[in-house]
Amino acid sequence: MNILVTGGTGYIGSHTSLRLIEAGHRPVLLDNLCNSSATVLDRIATLTGTRPTFIQGDIRDRPLLDRVLREEKIEAVIHFAALKAVGESVEHPLAYYDNNVGGTLVLLAAMQAAGVRTLVFSSSATVYGAAQQMPLREDAPLSATSPYGHSKLMIEQMLSDMAAADPRWSFTSLRYFNPVGAHESGLIGEAPQGIPNNLMPYIAQVAVGRRAALRVFGNTYPTPDGTGVRDYIHVLDLADGHLAALDHGHGRPGLQVFNLGSGQGHSVLEVLGAFSRACGRDLPCEIHPPRPGDVASSWADPTRAQAVLGWRARRSLDQMCADTWRWQSTYPQGYDA
């Protein structure tokens, strides 16, 4: 199929686009490059032998979307384009509602006008808020603790309302947990701008000397070693989840929701230890007070994705760290190297 991938040069979008090419699809990547690099297109071409079609633009640009959907004969959309830093969303909520919610609204209107009615949406485990009962299932109560989380919840509500109004729509919302890792070649990976907001890229920058030490926020949680526990999933497993969702959802009416996670929690110190093994030396850390709003533990129940999509996370924490280190040590400055 011809598949529009919004946010296609980003971390998850680029790995998913690579997998789409390998599966015989034709991805058309749309990205405004606000948090990514067009260099990834050359890397995808090196790995697959095919340079994906790329259009630099914004999902809020309705005339552009109309043209792309028509001229590229798009049959389905995988929607990654979003601002995604929780802390930044608290400081700049309007930017998050404008880009994430407003952009999705424009995208859906353009799809409706073009008769394209299959969408796989990049949602997030943040829609579960500060849930206490683990593991998290898709029918758990929904809430949010940040504008970023609220934006994902609002979009899921939009999809639910549209599916109820018109049975021709096929929506799949993928709530994923903590994507980490990189392609095993070391050619593409995560390259956050500024100070990383997430654990794994921060540790990777400590390992290459860009940061002095890992800052561990809280070591008195009710967890085995006192540090926060999260569900980490390899980005290639995540990419495969999007392909499975596309294959299952295309032409199937309604909204379906799936958790994409490993179903296993790892603490901050466990991840630090695994990365130390990957890079061959002990990495320093500093203990800081817990951050407001952080929960002690969060991990997925991925049973539904396994049963319905035939998908499961297959790569271990050690492999996640080894692949991240291969990417980061080869390209210490990311795509700007």
Side-chain angles (χ1 to χ4, degrees):
M1 289 192 291
N2 297 322
I3 300 163
L4 176 63
V5 183
T6 71
T9 57
Y11 173 45
I12 304 170
S14 60
H15 286 82
T16 301
S17 296
L18 183 149
R19 280 290 200 247
L20 287 168
I21 293 171
E22 291 176 339
H25 296 295
R26 176 179 170 262
V28 176
L29 281 57
L30 175 70
D31 205 300
N32 64 9
L33 301 179
C34 75
N35 193 32
S36 62
S37 171
T39 303
V40 75
L41 300 167
D42 298 327
R43 310 286 177 84
I44 293 173
T46 297
L47 291 167
T48 65
T50 300
R51 184 183 176 86
T53 300
F54 171 65
I55 297 153
Q56 184 172 351
D58 197 289
I59 56 169
R60 293 166 290 188
D61 185 342
R62 175 63 189 273
L64 174 64
L65 289 180
D66 289 339
R67 178 174 63 81
V68 171
L69 290 166
R70 181 182 66 253
E71 293 182 357
E72 302 296 339
K73 298 179 171 57
I74 297 300
E75 300 164 77
V77 177
I78 302 180
H79 180 29
F80 294 106
L83 299 175
K84 63 180 183 66
V86 171
E88 182 185 62
S89 78
V90 175
E91 297 175 9
H92 304 288
L94 281 182
Y96 273 69
Y97 292 127
D98 178 30
N99 186 86
N100 296 7
V101 181
T104 303
L105 184 63
V106 175
L107 174 64
L108 290 169
M111 290 175 64
Q112 182 166 266
V116 180
R117 292 187 172 85
T118 296
L119 177 78
V120 177
F121 172 56
S122 167
S123 191
S124 166
T126 56
V127 300
Y128 296 117
Q132 299 298 319
Q133 187 170 344
M134 297 296 148
L136 287 162
R137 296 175 11 142
E138 289 86 353
D139 57 2
L142 302 181
S143 63
T145 58
S146 69
Y148 167 70
H150 282 297
S151 75
K152 294 295 187 181
L153 267 179
M154 289 178 182
I155 294 168
E156 286 203 8
Q157 187 62 57
M158 289 164 56
L159 302 186
S160 177
D161 292 342
M162 291 183 69
D166 186 345
R168 292 175 297 176
W169 281 100
S170 170
F171 295 119
T172 307
S173 184
L174 301 178
R175 296 172 181 165
Y176 36 85
F177 283 66
N178 295 270
V180 297
H183 191 268
E184 61 265 19
S185 66
L187 285 177
I188 64 174
E190 186 172 12
Q193 296 182 3
I195 299 174
N197 291 291
N198 299 318
L199 176 64
M200 187 75 81
Y202 200 106
I203 295 175
Q205 291 189 9
V206 172
V208 293
R210 289 176 61 182
R211 311 282 166 195
L214 174 67
R215 293 180 295 172
V216 178
F217 294 99
N219 65 343
T220 58
Y221 287 112
T223 61
D225 62 22
T227 63
V229 169
R230 297 292 184 270
D231 187 331
Y232 297 93
I233 176 174
H234 197 291
V235 66
L236 289 178
D237 283 332
L238 191 60
D240 290 340
H242 287 78
L243 266 67
L246 182 70
D247 291 343
H248 178 266
H250 187 55
R252 189 183 300 270
L255 168 64
Q256 299 190 78
V257 178
F258 299 97
N259 285 335
L260 294 187
S262 70
Q264 181 178 2
H266 294 286
S267 74
V268 173
L269 293 183
E270 275 187 273
V271 176
L272 183 64
F275 209 101
S276 295
R277 291 193 296 273
C279 71
R281 64 186 181 88
D282 290 337
L283 298 174
C285 70
E286 304 167 348
I287 304 299
H288 292 258
R291 294 176 296 195
D294 277 358
V295 298
S297 301
S298 176
W299 69 91
D301 179 346
T303 304
R304 186 163 191 270
Q306 295 171 6
V308 178
L309 302 180
W311 171 92
R312 68 175 64 241
R314 301 184 183 280
R315 294 165 177 84
S316 67
L317 177 62
D318 282 333
Q319 186 169 352
M320 298 175 207
C321 292
D323 289 342
T324 302
W325 175 238
R326 188 178 302 109
W327 150 256
Q328 192 74 80
S329 59
T330 306
Y331 299 100
Q333 303 300 319
Y335 291 109
D336 296 329

